[in-house]
Each structure stands twice: as structure tokens, then as C-alpha cells.
Amino acid sequence: MKKLTTSVLAVVLTSSFAMVNAQKKDTVRTENIEGVVVTALGIKREKKAIGYSVSKVDGGDLQKSNESNVIQGLAGKVAGVQVTGSSGTPGASSKILIRGQKSINLSSQPLIVLDGMIIDNSINNNAGSGTNIGGVDDSNRAVDINPEDIESVSVLKGAAAAALYGENARNGVIIYISKKGRKTKGIGIDFSTSIGFDRLSNMIDLQRTYAAGTNGTAYILPAQYGEDGFATTNGTTSSWGPLISSVPGLQSNDNVKNFFKTGVTNTYNLALSGGNDNGNFRASFGHTDQTGIVPNTSLKKTSFSVNSEYNLSDKLKIGADALYTNTTGLRAQKGSNTAGIMLSLLRMPSSYDVRDYQTAQGFNKNYYAFYDNPLYTVYKNPYTDETNRIILSGHVVYNYSRWLNATLRAGVDTYSTHAQQNYSYTSNGNSTGDGTGQVIIDSYVKSLYNIDLIFNGIVNLTDRINLNYNVGASVNSAFANDQYTVGSTMLEINQFNLSNFTTFTPQNFDSKQLKRGVYASLEFDFYDQFYLTATGRNDWNSTLPAANRSYFYPSISASWLFNKTLDLPSWVNLGKVRASYASTFASPGPYNTLTTYTTPYYFDTFGPQLYSPYGGVGAYGFNTTLKDPNLKPEHNKEYEVGLELDLFKRLHLNVSAYQSTNYDLLIALPVAPSSGYGLKFTNGPTVENKGLEVELGYDIIKKENLTWNVNFNWALNRNKVTDLNGTPNNSGEGSDFFSGNLAPSITLGQPLGVFYGSAYNRDASGNLIIGTDGIPILSAESQIIGNPNPDWTGGFRNNITFKNVSLSFLFDVRKGGDIWDGTLARLNRLGRTQASADNRGGTYIIPGVLENGSPNNIALSNKVYYSNYLGDGSGSANETAIEKDINWIRLRDVSLGYNFTKILTNSPSLSFVKNAELSLSARNLFIITNYKGIDPENSLAGSGSNTNGFDYFNSPNTRSYFLTFKFGF
């Protein structure tokens, strides 16, 4: 590692000094890109000519939230863009959707492009648990990008905006543009450093009054352990015991406070830059060192980057970009598994002290024998990962004339991740469920290769009609290799070398994909008032059968600058209407058209598990998923119209309406077991998204010493399954479901992922029908019981400057959407919530009617009410745990800065200073919400899943405070 770091640093410095030596002049004509945005394939276009919606976020706004993940940094900043973090733990993944969910089996997330290169943003959790609801909060790979290196972000929302990218462009494209070097005298140096503190943001109100027990009178001792480290008694998870104060020797413990700590984040960034008439360069170093609020968790990220461009002649220009990152994580178990920290911590009776986490022999010690103590998990069951990543790209541009230019661009994004999950002796987390220890080692290598050749130019067809064209071809390939080994039953206690285990389960997976494409765009400019653009791309993809391997992406868009055509007042600076249509495709991953043999492997989040070989005997069997040899790509058709206005040189409005229909969605359908298969992977439903987006900016004050501008964004999206196409109604959307028959479903006329689960019977007036036991009667059929999709989302940014002082804050707003709060339901059942303790001797009557139609008059004890009605105990329905119409207003970030550059430069000895700024900032400072759980912005399944709205012992979010110093000269 040290040798590699030293080598990369040497390359960066060598490139920097080489470019400095090439400087010959002190002045340079900079390219004026005012009114220009970066669109597909890195093509720069004038805003006025674009017939679809493109949003831009400045790098400064991205950095104000101090997020280490550039995806999470977009939260609340762009209309129609929904960002959901999986937790507040270091390096946890973030999922991003543009204009709603578009797929079931494939990712619905947009392409990520860095300086013209499509880069990987996937997540790999093979060393965790292999599922999305257990294991650890792994990172999405955009975490490797240093936010301080980003100059701006362009968000291409619609299919017409992204059609030239081809594959998966229907999900939109996010284009990150790195900071570049500019003309300076000598070398410009920018340095910044910050220190941040993370605290637990929100927590369920837990009771600390009643002890472990089940009947309200007898205290149940915690699990007892023998000398071999294994439990001799089980203990209990229930807190329906007596008052803690009534049991001699017991004391009440605040285990949440005793477990979580203050996390600390240190960041350092250094950049060298320069340029002249012949070229420019920028080289940067960044380092982040973060410890989490969960003990013994951390993220460390080091990056080196260099980009440079040089004019070999008046017509020939070359450039290169290089990025190296080393990202390491130390992570803890999450969610629905017996080693999960939140599952064990929140269920822990207050009569037990979480800090009593190991026996005299150093083995697991807990209140309940079948769970790992959270502190034992974080210290004895570490998950470590290290990713080394290199992104290299280069381009050659030849400007023959105004009507003919050529660009050749090629690059590679390659990384290797080594991850290891240890389960110590007596841990319940190992997949065999016997406490004999386990090690899981995963080595994952992935590479993306891209090459584009583009010809473009501008042709004057007449004095008032121009043609701007682009014609090109591309080759994109992806290669991945995963080597995964499980060692079970250790010989020497807590030695995590594979040679110390008696049973081995190795797996090896190779993946290859090749895509070739040709494309063209023609943009007609009529009288500098009307613009018409047509694009076309044809791809050939290796993952599809030969008959369906070729597919064509057309798009057409138009914009009219009506302020130039009509006789409008001078205060109408821009009036523009636009419209577009596009057709895009998305193909399956490799090896989904042929049913192959596989190694038998049976897994869930609770042990024991079965692997092959078993008992020393190996085996092969047909994959239990039948593949379709006639598979087709998913097909998207999208229409969009919009209006843009600039008024009084102060007000900026951008409104878009769209309809996006996705056909032939790929799905694994259940089939009759008698066929020898459990599922069939084929094409299925049609899903439609309709929506409206508004972005509004207003410069309230524009004076030399005082400025104040506001930016508002608002969006709604309506998702609906319009055609099942052979898919059984109410089919499960995937394997990410958590309780009984609760599942995200595919239901005709409903959004993707609506909650389908058990419900209660009701009469014709909607009243609950109560049984003779005082509990509502369960319906024989599962029903749609909730919808996780919000009614609308919004954001509101204020930027205020007064002389040298600046203030910025962003409110992130969500209206509506349901959440299955399985965490609260289980804690109610166990008597852990404060609500369940407030009236232990009381009784409750559930509003409803008896079977004879008379009002319910059957009283329930406190325990039965919270366990079997508000909890998930016997007789309860999934619908009780659905929290309806969840809203929030979140202060996403706030920053107060002081620029003291002028103070320093007034001194002749400090005249070389070009920038000096000190700022205080906070993230997630407060949230106003009607959600009863920990935090409504949370996704147990993480960015590796399309499911939303499930809360089951998710890791919590954080409230963060930062002090930042920036210095440039």
C-alpha cells in the first residue's frame, strides 16, 4: 500500500512540475461557458437550445453538507431527485432515484459520469451476508470520489437528455465535473481542513422502569454461561417484568447512551494548479478519517488526482485525468440478524447493562443467549474492507475547422475490494448458527472500459439556419471476478486464518459484458429562436440472445425562445418552451439467457445454513431459476414538456412535466415446483411514472455588500403498474421482506413496491371487527396496506452574504409516504417502549365493532394491547406497523462563514493570499416529523435494492457539526 501511494504521488508531482515548466505566458483567454451546460457524452450545449430538463448544482453547494459520499451530498438540492441514505454509519450507502422507480430486477439508479467517463456505483456485500437486510452497511462506490475535487454537477433527468449514453440512460445521468487548472502566475495552492463531530440524531423513546420478565411479577435473570462460553440458560428479550426498583441489586441502565459515542471526522485537502495559453493542470490530495457513533466503526479514504490539458498546436489538444483512491472501512452488523447491533441493543431490558458484554474467558455475554451483545459484535465480529481504485482517462481533440472536429476519448475504471467478516467463538452470527466461529473472505475485482470516437461541427445552412452535428461510436465493456470463501468451525479459538477452520466453502464467479454502439445527433438552429434536435443510437449487447441483441434509441427535442419572437417587455430576459420524446433500453446482467449448473447453497439471515460440499461430499445442481432464451431488454418511452423563464434579471423558473413508461420489466416469476424450478427469469410488467417538477430561484437583494438569493425545488411523481404481462397480481417485488407475509409487491394499478401483507377485517363502514378476545379479527387474505412513495418532495436553499460574512441553509421537505415500522412494533411487543410502560396497570378497548355489530366493549390488559395489537405478537396484522402519511422538514445543512482574505492581503507580506475562509456548519441539525420511529429517511435494504420504506432495526442517522478552514494562495 505504501509503495503504491508513493508511486501515485510521484506521478502527480511529476505531471504538475512538467506542466509548470511548460508555461510561457502570464495571460490566457479563458473559455466563456456562461449559458452552457454539459450534456450527454460530455457535449457542451447552450442552455437555450436544450429541449429537455437539465439541473446544475455547484460544487460549493455539494460540499456545504460535508457529506463524504457525493451521492448523499445531492439530497434536497434538485427537483425530482430523491436521495435515501441507508444509515449514519461511516461509509454507509446512499441510493438515488430520478423520476421514480423504473425497474424491478435491474437498478433504477442513474448512470454516474466523471469527466466524461461512465464509472461504477455498485455495491458488493458478499462478505457481509449476501442479503440486503442483514450484514453491514456497505458503500456504494461513488463514495470514492472526493467532493472537494468537484467543480459542478449536471443532472440529466429525462430520457431525451441521456439517450446518447444508451444503456441504463432511462434512469437519468449524473455528470460530475472535476475542478480544472486555470492560468496563474506560478502555481496556485489551495488547502482546506475540517474537523467534524457526529452525534446520535434521534431515538425511539425507550422505557427504563421495568425489568426483564414476562408476567409482570417475576424478574427473569439474563442468560447464564458455562466455562465453555455457551449459555446454560436463555434469558428473555421481554421487559414485562417487575419494577426495576423493586428487585434488590438491580439498577436501571441507559444502554443507548452507554453504547453510542461521539464520532469524529477529520479531512485534509491540498491542490496545486496552474495554466497558461498552452495548457493547464491541477493535482490534488485528499484524506478523510472518520470514526462512527457506533464503537469500533470507521471509514478512511485517501485520494490522489491529476488532470491536465495541453495544446500541441492551434488545432490539436490532448488531455488526461487520473484518480487513485484507497478506501478502508471497519463496519458493524445491521438489521435483521442475530449479530445485528440495533436488534440486540433496542430489545435489551434496562435491567441489563450493555457494557457487561463478555465472560471471564472473553466470550459473548448478553441478556439473551441467542443474540450477540452489541459491544461484543463491534469488537469481536469486525467486518473490514479495503478498496483500491484507479480511474484513468485521456482524450485527443483535433479542431480541423468550424465544421469538422474530432474527439477520441478512452478510459478505464478498475478497482479491487478485499473484505473479511469474522465471527468469533460463541457468536450467534455465523451462518451455521452453532457458535463455533467463522471467517468469510471475499476478493472482488471489477473493471469498466470505455472508448468513444466523436466527430462534430457547425454548418451554416443559410445565414439564419445552422446545423450542429455529432456522429460517433463507442465500445463499453465490463469485467468482474469474485472469489468468495467461507471457513467454518475453527480449531484454535479466534484465529481467523482459513487454515484454522475445518470446513471450507469456496465460490468463484466471473462476469463479462460487451456493448458496442453507434450514435448521432443533429441540432438545427432557426433564427436563434427555435431549436430542433434529433438523436439516434444503436447498441449491440452481449448479454442478450442474438435475435434481441440489437436495439435502437431515438430521441427528438425542441425549444422555442418566445421572448425573441414575440414583442415582450424588456424585463422578460428569457422565455422558453420545450418538448421532447425519447426511447431508451436497459438490458439484463450477464448469463440470464441460459440455465446453468450451480453449487447448492441455502441461506437466510438466521442460521443454520447449508452449503455444498456438505459432509465432505460435493454436488452440482441446476440453478433453481429457469432462464429465458428469448429475453428482451427493458424498454422505456418518455415524453416531457417544460417552461423556462428569466425575469427582471432576478427570477429564474424551470417547470417540467413528464410521462415515462417502462415495458418488459425483467422479473423472477414463481413457477410450479413440479417443473424442477422455483422461479423463471423473464420479461414482465409495464410501469408508468408521471410527474411534475418546479425549480425557482430569486435574487432578493443584489448589492455590492449584501446579497440574498433563494432557490426552491418541488416535485411529485406518480408510479403505477399499468400491465402485469403474465405476472401474477400482488407478486413479491424481491427477497427484501421481513415479517410473515409482508412484502413489497407488484400490483396492477398500484405503485411498485406497495406493502402487501396481513390486515384486519372491517365492516362496510370501515370499522374494525373485534373478536371475542378483544383483538381485531385477521382477514383471510393479504391486502395492500401501504405505499412507501411520497406525495411530493421539496427543498429550499437560502444564500445570504453581508460583506465578508456568508450564511447558507437548506431545508429538505417530504410530504406523505408510508413506512413499515417493524422496529416499533417489535419493541411494543417486548414492552420496551415508553408508551407500553406509562400505564402498565391500565386497560384498553380497541375502537371497533363486535361480530354482532355492537360497539366493542372488551377491555385488554396493557400487555395484550401492546404485544398483540400495537406489537407484532400473536394475532397481530402487518397493517398495525404501517405508519401512514409520514412528513418531514429537515434542516439538511446550515453553514456560517467568514472570509478574511481582505484582512490578510492588506498586509504587504501577505499579498500572495487569494482566499482565506473559516466556516461553522451543521448537518441534520433538526427534523420535524410525525414519524414515531428513529428517522424516516432510512433504508434497511440500502442502495443494492429497489425496495423502500422498511424500518427493522436499521442503524440510526447522525447529527453533525463541522469547523472548516480554507486557504489559497
Side-chain angles (χ1 to χ4, degrees), residues 791-806:
D791 297 333
W792 54 263
T793 59
F796 182 63
R797 164 77 74 185
N798 273 263
N799 292 301
I800 303 169
T801 62
F802 176 67
K803 296 183 177 179
N804 298 323
V805 179
S806 62

Side-chain angles (χ1 to χ4, degrees), residues 375-452:
L375 286 173
Y376 188 83
T377 285
V378 297
Y379 289 119
K380 302 295 184 177
N381 297 335
Y383 177 100
T384 57
D385 61 275
E386 180 175 8
T387 298
N388 288 289
R389 184 175 190 177
I390 296 176
I391 301 176
L392 299 173
S393 66
H395 60 270
V396 179
V397 179
Y398 183 70
N399 297 313
Y400 176 75
S401 66
R402 186 170 182 269
W403 59 269
L404 179 60
N405 307 282
T407 300
L408 175 64
R409 181 171 55 233
V412 58
D413 175 11
T414 182
Y415 64 89
S416 63
T417 298
H418 179 84
Q420 180 168 329
Q421 173 68 69
N422 296 344
Y423 290 107
S424 291
Y425 188 72
T426 70
S427 168
N428 294 282
N430 64 317
S431 62
T432 53
D434 58 6
T436 58
Q438 193 170 70
V439 64
I440 305 173
I441 298 176
D442 183 57
S443 293
Y444 183 73
V445 179
K446 188 171 185 179
S447 299
L448 305 181
Y449 297 90
N450 298 278
I451 184 168
D452 285 281

